[in-house]
Short mmCIF file of all heavy atoms in Angstrom, two decimals:
data_model
loop_
_atom_site.label_atom_id
_atom_site.label_comp_id
_atom_site.label_asym_id
_atom_site.label_seq_id
_atom_site.Cartn_x
_atom_site.Cartn_y
_atom_site.Cartn_z
N MET Z 1 0.78 -1.24 0.00
CA MET Z 1 0.00 0.00 0.00
C MET Z 1 0.82 1.30 0.00
O MET Z 1 0.46 2.24 -0.71
CB MET Z 1 -0.99 0.01 1.16
CG MET Z 1 -2.35 -0.56 0.80
SD MET Z 1 -3.05 0.13 -0.72
CE MET Z 1 -3.32 1.84 -0.25
N PRO Z 2 1.92 1.41 0.75
CA PRO Z 2 2.67 2.68 0.69
C PRO Z 2 3.11 3.03 -0.72
O PRO Z 2 3.12 4.21 -1.10
CB PRO Z 2 3.87 2.41 1.62
CG PRO Z 2 3.37 1.41 2.60
CD PRO Z 2 2.47 0.51 1.79
N VAL Z 3 3.48 2.02 -1.52
CA VAL Z 3 3.88 2.26 -2.91
C VAL Z 3 2.65 2.47 -3.78
O VAL Z 3 2.57 3.42 -4.58
CB VAL Z 3 4.72 1.08 -3.44
CG1 VAL Z 3 5.05 1.28 -4.92
CG2 VAL Z 3 6.00 0.94 -2.63
N TRP Z 4 1.67 1.58 -3.65
CA TRP Z 4 0.46 1.68 -4.47
C TRP Z 4 -0.27 2.99 -4.25
O TRP Z 4 -0.87 3.54 -5.17
CB TRP Z 4 -0.47 0.52 -4.16
CG TRP Z 4 -0.06 -0.78 -4.80
CD1 TRP Z 4 0.96 -0.97 -5.69
CD2 TRP Z 4 -0.67 -2.06 -4.60
NE1 TRP Z 4 1.03 -2.29 -6.06
CE2 TRP Z 4 0.03 -2.99 -5.42
CE3 TRP Z 4 -1.73 -2.51 -3.84
CZ2 TRP Z 4 -0.31 -4.34 -5.46
CZ3 TRP Z 4 -2.07 -3.85 -3.89
CH2 TRP Z 4 -1.36 -4.76 -4.70
N LYS Z 5 -0.24 3.49 -3.00
CA LYS Z 5 -0.94 4.74 -2.69
C LYS Z 5 -0.45 5.88 -3.56
O LYS Z 5 -1.21 6.76 -3.96
CB LYS Z 5 -0.74 5.07 -1.21
CG LYS Z 5 -1.68 6.13 -0.67
CD LYS Z 5 -1.52 6.26 0.83
CE LYS Z 5 -2.47 7.29 1.39
NZ LYS Z 5 -2.33 7.42 2.86
N GLN Z 6 0.86 5.86 -3.86
CA GLN Z 6 1.45 6.91 -4.69
C GLN Z 6 1.23 6.65 -6.18
O GLN Z 6 0.97 7.58 -6.95
CB GLN Z 6 2.96 7.00 -4.41
CG GLN Z 6 3.31 7.27 -2.95
CD GLN Z 6 2.75 8.58 -2.44
OE1 GLN Z 6 2.73 9.58 -3.16
NE2 GLN Z 6 2.27 8.58 -1.20
N GLU Z 7 1.32 5.39 -6.57
CA GLU Z 7 1.30 5.05 -8.00
C GLU Z 7 -0.06 4.64 -8.53
O GLU Z 7 -0.31 4.72 -9.74
CB GLU Z 7 2.31 3.93 -8.27
CG GLU Z 7 3.75 4.30 -7.92
CD GLU Z 7 4.72 3.16 -8.15
OE1 GLU Z 7 4.26 2.06 -8.55
OE2 GLU Z 7 5.93 3.37 -7.95
N HIS Z 8 -0.95 4.18 -7.64
CA HIS Z 8 -2.25 3.65 -8.09
C HIS Z 8 -3.37 4.20 -7.22
O HIS Z 8 -3.95 3.47 -6.39
CB HIS Z 8 -2.23 2.12 -8.06
CG HIS Z 8 -1.14 1.50 -8.88
ND1 HIS Z 8 -1.15 1.50 -10.25
CD2 HIS Z 8 0.02 0.89 -8.49
CE1 HIS Z 8 -0.06 0.89 -10.70
NE2 HIS Z 8 0.67 0.52 -9.65
N PRO Z 9 -3.71 5.47 -7.37
CA PRO Z 9 -4.76 6.07 -6.53
C PRO Z 9 -6.09 5.34 -6.70
O PRO Z 9 -6.48 4.98 -7.81
CB PRO Z 9 -4.83 7.51 -7.05
CG PRO Z 9 -4.18 7.49 -8.40
CD PRO Z 9 -3.15 6.43 -8.35
N GLY Z 10 -6.77 5.15 -5.57
CA GLY Z 10 -8.06 4.47 -5.58
C GLY Z 10 -7.98 3.00 -5.27
O GLY Z 10 -9.00 2.35 -5.01
N VAL Z 11 -6.75 2.43 -5.26
CA VAL Z 11 -6.61 0.99 -5.05
C VAL Z 11 -7.07 0.58 -3.65
O VAL Z 11 -7.45 -0.58 -3.42
CB VAL Z 11 -5.14 0.55 -5.28
CG1 VAL Z 11 -4.23 1.10 -4.20
CG2 VAL Z 11 -5.03 -0.97 -5.36
N GLU Z 12 -7.08 1.54 -2.70
CA GLU Z 12 -7.48 1.19 -1.34
C GLU Z 12 -8.93 0.74 -1.25
O GLU Z 12 -9.33 0.12 -0.27
CB GLU Z 12 -7.25 2.39 -0.40
CG GLU Z 12 -8.03 3.63 -0.74
CD GLU Z 12 -7.33 4.53 -1.75
OE1 GLU Z 12 -6.31 4.11 -2.32
OE2 GLU Z 12 -7.83 5.65 -1.96
N ALA Z 13 -9.74 1.01 -2.28
CA ALA Z 13 -11.15 0.60 -2.27
C ALA Z 13 -11.36 -0.78 -2.88
O ALA Z 13 -12.48 -1.29 -2.89
CB ALA Z 13 -11.99 1.62 -3.03
N MET Z 14 -10.29 -1.41 -3.34
CA MET Z 14 -10.40 -2.72 -3.98
C MET Z 14 -10.76 -3.81 -2.97
O MET Z 14 -10.28 -3.80 -1.84
CB MET Z 14 -9.08 -3.07 -4.67
CG MET Z 14 -9.08 -4.40 -5.42
SD MET Z 14 -7.54 -4.67 -6.33
CE MET Z 14 -6.40 -5.00 -4.97
N ASN Z 15 -11.60 -4.76 -3.38
CA ASN Z 15 -11.95 -5.92 -2.55
C ASN Z 15 -11.45 -7.19 -3.21
O ASN Z 15 -11.60 -7.38 -4.43
CB ASN Z 15 -13.47 -6.02 -2.37
CG ASN Z 15 -14.00 -4.98 -1.40
OD1 ASN Z 15 -13.32 -4.61 -0.46
ND2 ASN Z 15 -15.21 -4.51 -1.64
N VAL Z 16 -10.86 -8.05 -2.42
CA VAL Z 16 -10.35 -9.34 -2.90
C VAL Z 16 -11.00 -10.45 -2.07
O VAL Z 16 -10.99 -10.39 -0.84
CB VAL Z 16 -8.81 -9.42 -2.77
CG1 VAL Z 16 -8.31 -10.77 -3.25
CG2 VAL Z 16 -8.15 -8.29 -3.55
N ALA Z 17 -11.57 -11.44 -2.75
CA ALA Z 17 -12.22 -12.56 -2.05
C ALA Z 17 -11.38 -13.82 -2.19
O ALA Z 17 -10.96 -14.17 -3.30
CB ALA Z 17 -13.62 -12.79 -2.62
N VAL Z 18 -11.12 -14.48 -1.07
CA VAL Z 18 -10.43 -15.77 -1.07
C VAL Z 18 -11.34 -16.75 -0.34
O VAL Z 18 -11.46 -16.71 0.88
CB VAL Z 18 -9.05 -15.68 -0.38
CG1 VAL Z 18 -8.37 -17.04 -0.39
CG2 VAL Z 18 -8.17 -14.65 -1.06
N MET Z 19 -11.99 -17.62 -1.10
CA MET Z 19 -13.00 -18.51 -0.54
C MET Z 19 -12.52 -19.96 -0.57
O MET Z 19 -11.70 -20.33 -1.40
CB MET Z 19 -14.31 -18.35 -1.32
CG MET Z 19 -14.82 -16.92 -1.40
SD MET Z 19 -15.07 -16.15 0.22
CE MET Z 19 -16.46 -17.12 0.81
N GLY Z 20 -13.10 -20.77 0.36
CA GLY Z 20 -12.54 -22.10 0.58
C GLY Z 20 -13.25 -23.27 -0.06
O GLY Z 20 -12.74 -24.37 -0.03
N CYS Z 21 -14.45 -23.06 -0.65
CA CYS Z 21 -15.12 -24.20 -1.29
C CYS Z 21 -16.20 -23.68 -2.24
O CYS Z 21 -16.41 -22.48 -2.38
CB CYS Z 21 -15.72 -25.15 -0.25
SG CYS Z 21 -17.25 -24.56 0.50
N ILE Z 22 -16.92 -24.61 -2.84
CA ILE Z 22 -17.87 -24.28 -3.89
C ILE Z 22 -19.18 -23.70 -3.38
O ILE Z 22 -19.95 -23.10 -4.14
CB ILE Z 22 -18.14 -25.54 -4.75
CG1 ILE Z 22 -18.73 -25.15 -6.11
CG2 ILE Z 22 -19.06 -26.52 -3.99
CD1 ILE Z 22 -18.81 -26.31 -7.09
N VAL Z 23 -19.49 -23.84 -2.07
CA VAL Z 23 -20.80 -23.43 -1.55
C VAL Z 23 -21.03 -21.93 -1.76
O VAL Z 23 -21.99 -21.51 -2.41
CB VAL Z 23 -20.93 -23.79 -0.05
CG1 VAL Z 23 -22.24 -23.23 0.51
CG2 VAL Z 23 -20.90 -25.30 0.12
N ASN Z 24 -20.18 -21.09 -1.19
CA ASN Z 24 -20.30 -19.64 -1.35
C ASN Z 24 -19.18 -19.03 -2.19
O ASN Z 24 -19.22 -17.85 -2.50
CB ASN Z 24 -20.31 -18.94 0.01
CG ASN Z 24 -21.58 -19.19 0.78
OD1 ASN Z 24 -22.67 -19.21 0.22
ND2 ASN Z 24 -21.45 -19.41 2.09
#
């Protein structure tokens, strides 16, 4: 984030999902 904050404005609003099975 310290680097991305300078080079990629708006990235702090990104959501990443890491899910463990097929149900959800």
Side-chain angles (χ1 to χ4, degrees):
M1 268 311 294
V3 175
W4 282 354
K5 194 173 181 180
Q6 302 299 321
E7 299 178 358
H8 303 288
V11 69
E12 61 273 9
M14 182 175 72
N15 285 327
V16 179
V18 180
M19 306 303 292
C21 77
I22 199 170
V23 174
N24 289 321

